[in-house]
Amino acid sequence: MQCVPDAPEGWSDVERELWEAFRHGNVFDRRAGDADTDDPFGDAVWGPSRTVRAEVLAQLLLAGPEAVPGRVASLRMNGVQVTGPLNLAGGRISHYLELYGCRFDHKVLVSEAEASTLRLVDCLLPRLEASRLTTSGDLHLARSRVPEGIRLTDAKIGTDLLLNLAKVGGDRYGRAISADGITIHQDFEAERIEVDGELSIRTARIGGRLSLRGAQLRAAPQNRTCLNAVRVTVGHTLYLTGSADTGWIGSRSYYGSGYGQNPSPDGPITPFRAHGRVRLSDSRFEGACLISGEFHLEGGDELSLRRIHTPELRFTCRTRPTGPVSLSRARVGNLVDTPGAWPRGKHLGLTGFVYECLRPAEPFTIQQRIAWLEGSSVEFQPESYEQLAAALRRDGADDDAREVLYAKQRRRRATLPLPSRVWGLVQDVTVGYGFRPGRAGLWLLLAWALGSAWFATHRLQPLKADENPHWNPVLYTLNELLPIIDLNQGAWNPGGVEQWLSAGLVVVGWLLASTFVAGATRMLQRG
């Protein structure tokens, strides 16, 4: 290619060719056509024929030449080695930037810069400093590797932030991606990303979805947090779920999005994995919060969902979290879960957890649901039982709701002093705290049988000596047990032991009959 006369002096022939490609909006492609040689992450040495200085890129982007008439000036490079630090901090990048398979030997600085769309795909960057960066379009770092981390604090992304399939390492403080306060007007995709260190997006504002499907997050030894998403607002849905492997085959998108062939529902997936603390406290997800990954929690690690707000929480992990999960003060609409998704061993925090409806993704019996409550990290929380019973009633499951309230009374008994525990045990055995009316009926039948047997061999004296009424021990016992019905058995005068036995039958009858009638009434009302 003939050199352009107005190219700056001191530029190499390769850089002059880049100048011309910039003016025409053409792709400056230096790939050799061999996969191993062109691999930006490989060991192949790229010579002078595919090397440009970072200051050349800065001049083109910040003060580049006019475009050839009828063309749009842009910086588009494939397979180029960039030497020296690229410093665009505070600048206005008015031209389109698109780099594929390039290498940088120094960190890239774009802090407080303004740009349209920035695409660095399949690139090797030691570090990206982009705090308070403002773009009117996308920021793409798909498939790139940034071993010393990315800083996007308080950045404003006009459309999408894409980090799919990227590999990001941490700085000396264990922070890999620092994006606190970032604003993304549409989607933040980091699917299948590999992060060694903390991914922090505290107080972020995301207009669309936040997708970490198939992400692999590993906390650094000096910083046990692998995902810090406290006080985040997501306009659509959070995905901490698996990613179908076949969905990434045949993808037409060069930017790393996994939208190739339709994956089979039974096909292999790469699950979301978090090795370290995950913090989602005080966040809002306007669409849904979908969690089905693996949480490897050690020591003081925790999956914190405290005080989150979302219309639907789907918690369907195939592998139980190995540490605590806290939902304290969270408020959700539909709770979609499975019995095997929740941690065991008093590692579940449900204090003040409010949900409107239960929509289990697979069979979830009432006994399993009660065990879910009793797996809470706090010994006894009456409001948790009341919340579960209320949700069941809203779904018309009155029997299950009573089962929960019965379990509440039995759990409460263990927290009472000894005399109260004894009285509670009597209530449980006899009438099931009023939730087992059938049990009261059985006790009534037993008392009737025992009373009849006693009085069959212990005839009472008539109330009036000159009268001789017919003695029927069965009717007399039944008359004493039923507090309202009069069976004309008042002509007898019990004394001694029989007097105490008759009084006991009256008391037992009042207690058991009233419980039985109340239970029967509830059953008739449901019918």
Side-chain angles (χ1 to χ4, degrees), residues 291-303:
I291 301 176
S292 63
E294 298 178 5
F295 296 89
H296 302 273
L297 309 172
E298 302 175 1
D301 297 344
E302 179 188 61
L303 169 55

Side-chain angles (χ1 to χ4, degrees), residues 221-303:
Q222 67 271 36
N223 180 358
R224 287 301 305 164
T225 301
C226 65
L227 176 58
N228 194 347
V230 173
R231 297 187 300 280
V232 167
T233 300
V234 177
H236 198 268
T237 301
L238 167 68
Y239 296 89
L240 300 184
T241 62
S243 168
D245 294 345
T246 54
W248 292 83
I249 298 174
S251 174
R252 296 182 179 180
S253 171
Y254 194 70
Y255 308 119
S257 297
Y259 304 112
Q261 65 188 52
N262 293 327
S264 168
D266 300 325
I269 66 168
T270 296
F272 169 88
R273 293 188 180 98
H275 297 264
R277 187 181 303 118
V278 176
R279 302 178 62 202
L280 300 173
S281 306
D282 300 295
S283 294
R284 287 181 171 271
F285 309 101
E286 303 297 338
C289 179
L290 310 184
I291 301 176
S292 63
E294 298 178 5
F295 296 89
H296 302 273
L297 309 172
E298 302 175 1
D301 297 344
E302 179 188 61
L303 169 55

Side-chain angles (χ1 to χ4, degrees), residues 86-345:
L86 177 58
N87 189 348
L88 303 172
R92 182 178 180 84
I93 306 170
S94 56
H95 299 289
Y96 179 78
L97 173 65
E98 188 173 79
L99 308 182
Y100 298 136
C102 295
R103 292 177 180 172
F104 291 78
D105 61 8
H106 286 73
K107 64 181 178 181
V108 176
L109 304 174
V110 288
S111 300
E112 302 189 43
E114 296 182 17
S116 54
T117 291
L118 302 178
R119 291 193 173 106
L120 292 88
V121 179
D122 268 322
C123 291
L124 176 62
L125 301 81
R127 180 171 174 81
L128 175 62
E129 288 281 355
S131 57
R132 294 175 296 282
L133 167 70
T134 300
T135 72
S136 58
D138 298 339
L139 174 59
H140 290 189
L141 294 166
R143 296 192 175 105
S144 292
R145 297 186 185 181
V146 192
E148 297 176 18
I150 299 172
R151 186 175 181 86
L152 285 164
T153 306
D154 297 319
K156 293 179 173 59
I157 309 301
T159 48
D160 299 328
L161 173 60
L162 301 185
L163 296 173
N164 298 327
L165 290 169
K167 295 184 179 181
V168 186
D171 59 17
R172 59 181 176 175
Y173 302 106
R175 293 189 295 255
I177 300 177
S178 298
D180 297 340
I182 191 171
T183 300
I184 303 169
H185 285 85
Q186 294 185 22
D187 295 337
F188 179 11
E189 288 189 13
E191 300 185 2
R192 295 190 172 227
I193 191 173
E194 295 183 23
V195 180
D196 289 310
E198 180 183 10
L199 194 169
S200 181
I201 53 171
R202 294 179 300 171
T203 68
R205 299 289 182 269
I206 301 169
R209 59 180 181 163
L210 170 55
S211 181
L212 289 165
R213 289 184 290 196
Q216 310 295 302
L217 309 181
R218 303 175 187 87
Q222 67 271 36
N223 180 358
R224 287 301 305 164
T225 301
C226 65
L227 176 58
N228 194 347
V230 173
R231 297 187 300 280
V232 167
T233 300
V234 177
H236 198 268
T237 301
L238 167 68
Y239 296 89
L240 300 184
T241 62
S243 168
D245 294 345
T246 54
W248 292 83
I249 298 174
S251 174
R252 296 182 179 180
S253 171
Y254 194 70
Y255 308 119
S257 297
Y259 304 112
Q261 65 188 52
N262 293 327
S264 168
D266 300 325
I269 66 168
T270 296
F272 169 88
R273 293 188 180 98
H275 297 264
R277 187 181 303 118
V278 176
R279 302 178 62 202
L280 300 173
S281 306
D282 300 295
S283 294
R284 287 181 171 271
F285 309 101
E286 303 297 338
C289 179
L290 310 184
I291 301 176
S292 63
E294 298 178 5
F295 296 89
H296 302 273
L297 309 172
E298 302 175 1
D301 297 344
E302 179 188 61
L303 169 55
S304 177
L305 300 168
R306 292 183 175 89
R307 299 176 297 279
I308 67 167
H309 286 67
T310 182
E312 179 168 301
L313 171 61
R314 184 178 290 267
F315 198 91
T316 55
C317 301
R318 296 184 180 181
T319 303
R320 296 180 190 273
T322 58
V325 176
S326 179
L327 284 159
S328 299
R329 309 299 174 192
R331 301 184 68 90
V332 306
N334 295 332
L335 175 60
V336 182
D337 59 348
T338 59
W342 301 101
R344 289 174 173 164

Side-chain angles (χ1 to χ4, degrees), residues 437 514-527:
S514 58
T515 302
F516 179 77
V517 170
T521 301
R522 284 197 297 266
M523 293 179 65
L524 290 173
Q525 287 176 344
R526 290 199 307 275

